[in-house]
């Protein structure tokens, strides 16, 4: 997986689902101590680690797999050429499964050319409701109403603002609009442990609104967050907007995505946000 937070979520899901099975599930991320990594590396080498969930560190040349049979790559479009080359070396003569909500053109081309098998999940999980999408310019009353509605029903809000330079100003604006709201901030310039701490606090419902850059687009599963507000939506690509909108509506509650944009949009920007 591309991020440590996503690796942690997958690890928790796997541990829960395989709790009745004699399967040794392991987590490998850069936040672990050297001692823990060395022990896991040894367990991988001798074959006692059955499932290893981790970031691209699992592709390291220092790690030797005793009998690797299956590789699953989540959020495949987030991996660069260097990681793809390592995967090519590692996946010879084994089963390989790539998962993505927004397939890159090369993957689609190989599927259409029948070089790869492709399976599309087009049916949502039972009780899942479609995300309602709204377009609007910035309005204080809309932000207040959306936040208050979600908080009143015990939910949480994701607010995406993709400029680190003025993200604190946006936080102050939100506090003025909704004085009682509690806010956490997450962006890519934070130290990894601090970022992971904020994400886990939001996941465990310790504050109402997570103000973040597009760093949250990577497959995070927070069922209690059912409203997402995307500021300056015209700055995002179509795939990014679909990924970000997919962060909400993962439970059985109705969910909303508000795309806020400037008034002077180009034609291409209008087409992108008209999703």
């Amino acid at each position: 997986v591309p991020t440590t937070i996503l690796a942690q979520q997958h690890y928790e899901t796997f541990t829960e689902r395989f709790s009745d099975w004699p399967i040794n599930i392991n987590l490998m991320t850069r936040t672990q101590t050297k001692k823990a990594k060395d022990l896991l590396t040894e367990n991988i080498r001798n074959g006692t680690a059955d499932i290893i969930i981790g970031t691209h560190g699992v592709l390291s040349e220092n790690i030797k797999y005793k009998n690797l049979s299956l590789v699953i790559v989540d959020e495949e479009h987030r991996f660069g050429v260097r990681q793809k080359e390592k995967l090519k070396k590692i996946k010879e003569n084994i089963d390989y499964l790539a998962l993505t909500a927004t397939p890159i053109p090369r993957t689609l081309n190989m599927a259409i050319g029948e070089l790869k098998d492709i399976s599309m999940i087009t049916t949502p999980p039972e009780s899942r409701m479609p995300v309602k999408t709204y377009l609007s310019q910035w309005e204080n009353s809309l932000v207040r109403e959306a936040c208050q509605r979600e908080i009143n029903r015990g939910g949480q809000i994701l607010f995406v603002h993709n400029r680190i330079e003025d993200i604190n100003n946006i936080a102050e604006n939100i506090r003025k609009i909704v004085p009682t709201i509690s806010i956490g901030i997450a962006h890519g310039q934070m130290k990894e442990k601090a970022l992971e701490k904020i994400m886990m606090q939001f996941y465990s419902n310790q504050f109402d609104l997570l103000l973040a850059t597009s760093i949250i687009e990577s497959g995070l599963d927070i069922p209690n967050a059912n409203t997402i507000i995307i500021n300056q939506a015209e700055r995002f690509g179509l795939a990014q907007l679909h990924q970000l909108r997919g962060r909400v509506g993962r439970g059985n509650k109705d969910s909303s995505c508000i795309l806020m944009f400037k008034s002077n949009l180009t034609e291409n920007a209008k087409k992108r946000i008209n999703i």
Side-chain angles (χ1 to χ4, degrees):
V1 297
T3 67
T4 56
I5 300 162
L6 189 54
Q8 182 68 40
Q9 287 199 333
H10 277 312
Y11 175 72
E12 289 172 6
T13 303
F14 269 71
T15 303
E16 181 186 334
R17 293 191 180 182
F18 289 100
S19 58
D20 296 331
W21 296 76
I23 295 173
N24 185 7
I25 299 166
N26 303 267
L27 178 67
M28 177 178 278
T29 65
R30 71 179 79 178
T31 57
Q32 291 171 309
T33 63
K34 185 179 185 301
K35 186 178 179 181
K37 281 184 182 175
D38 289 345
L39 179 61
L40 178 53
T41 302
E42 180 57 34
N43 289 342
I44 292 170
R45 190 178 290 115
N46 61 36
T48 56
D50 299 314
I51 296 174
I52 302 99
I53 298 165
T55 50
H56 57 264
V58 299
L59 305 175
S60 169
E61 292 176 3
N62 299 330
I63 297 174
K64 306 296 181 188
Y65 294 91
K66 184 178 181 182
N67 183 25
L68 187 63
S69 304
L70 172 64
V71 172
I72 302 173
V73 182
D74 194 15
E75 302 279 329
E76 187 207 23
H77 59 281
R78 293 293 304 275
F79 287 89
V81 174
R82 194 175 296 171
Q83 283 91 28
K84 293 274 176 67
E85 288 303 314
K86 286 184 179 179
L87 282 166
K88 272 185 190 175
K89 291 177 185 175
I90 213 172
K91 72 181 186 182
E92 288 180 11
N93 302 318
I94 62 172
D95 293 322
Y96 180 82
L97 174 63
L99 308 172
T100 179
T102 50
I104 57 175
R106 184 174 57 190
T107 302
L108 279 176
N109 189 46
M110 292 179 85
I112 291 166
E114 298 184 353
L115 296 172
K116 279 186 177 180
D117 292 329
I118 187 168
S119 175
M120 295 179 66
I121 301 173
T122 56
T123 306
E126 203 172 327
S127 79
R128 180 76 56 89
M129 290 183 275
V131 179
K132 294 173 184 172
T133 308
Y134 305 95
L135 303 176
S136 173
Q137 293 180 41
W138 180 288
E139 289 182 17
N140 289 354
S141 58
L142 179 64
V143 174
R144 184 186 303 110
E145 184 185 336
C147 292
Q148 209 62 63
R149 176 181 175 272
E150 193 58 61
I151 292 168
N152 288 345
R153 65 174 183 173
Q156 293 167 279
I157 306 106
L158 290 165
F159 194 109
V160 181
H161 178 75
N162 212 26
R163 280 173 55 87
I164 296 172
E165 296 87 352
D166 57 354
I167 199 166
N168 289 315
N169 295 338
I170 296 292
E172 285 306 310
N173 285 345
I174 296 169
R175 287 190 185 101
K176 287 176 185 175
I177 296 166
V178 192
T180 57
I181 203 166
S182 53
I183 299 174
I185 297 176
H187 56 75
Q189 287 183 9
M190 294 171 66
K191 289 185 177 177
E192 190 148 3
K193 284 189 177 179
L195 179 60
E196 189 170 352
K197 184 180 177 183
I198 283 285
M199 296 305 301
M200 294 311 293
Q201 284 176 340
F202 187 64
Y203 183 69
S204 56
N205 201 6
Q206 293 182 33
F207 52 88
D208 302 317
L209 183 145
L210 178 66
L211 174 59
T213 57
S214 59
I215 195 170
I216 63 165
E217 74 177 276
S218 265
L220 294 178
D221 190 8
I222 305 170
N224 198 45
N226 286 296
T227 295
I228 185 168
I229 301 170
I230 303 175
N231 191 30
Q232 297 178 345
E234 74 279 359
R235 291 172 175 263
F236 293 90
L238 186 61
Q240 275 186 308
L241 289 173
H242 276 292
Q243 284 286 105
L244 289 167
R245 185 173 64 168
R247 296 310 100 221
V248 297
R250 303 179 79 86
N252 56 5
K253 292 181 181 177
D254 66 303
S255 54
S256 305
C257 171
I258 300 169
L259 302 176
M260 295 198 297
F261 56 90
K262 292 181 178 177
S263 55
N264 52 339
L265 294 180
T266 65
E267 285 303 312
N268 282 339
K270 286 178 183 175
K271 288 175 184 175
R272 275 203 310 278
I273 66 173
N274 190 27
I275 60 174

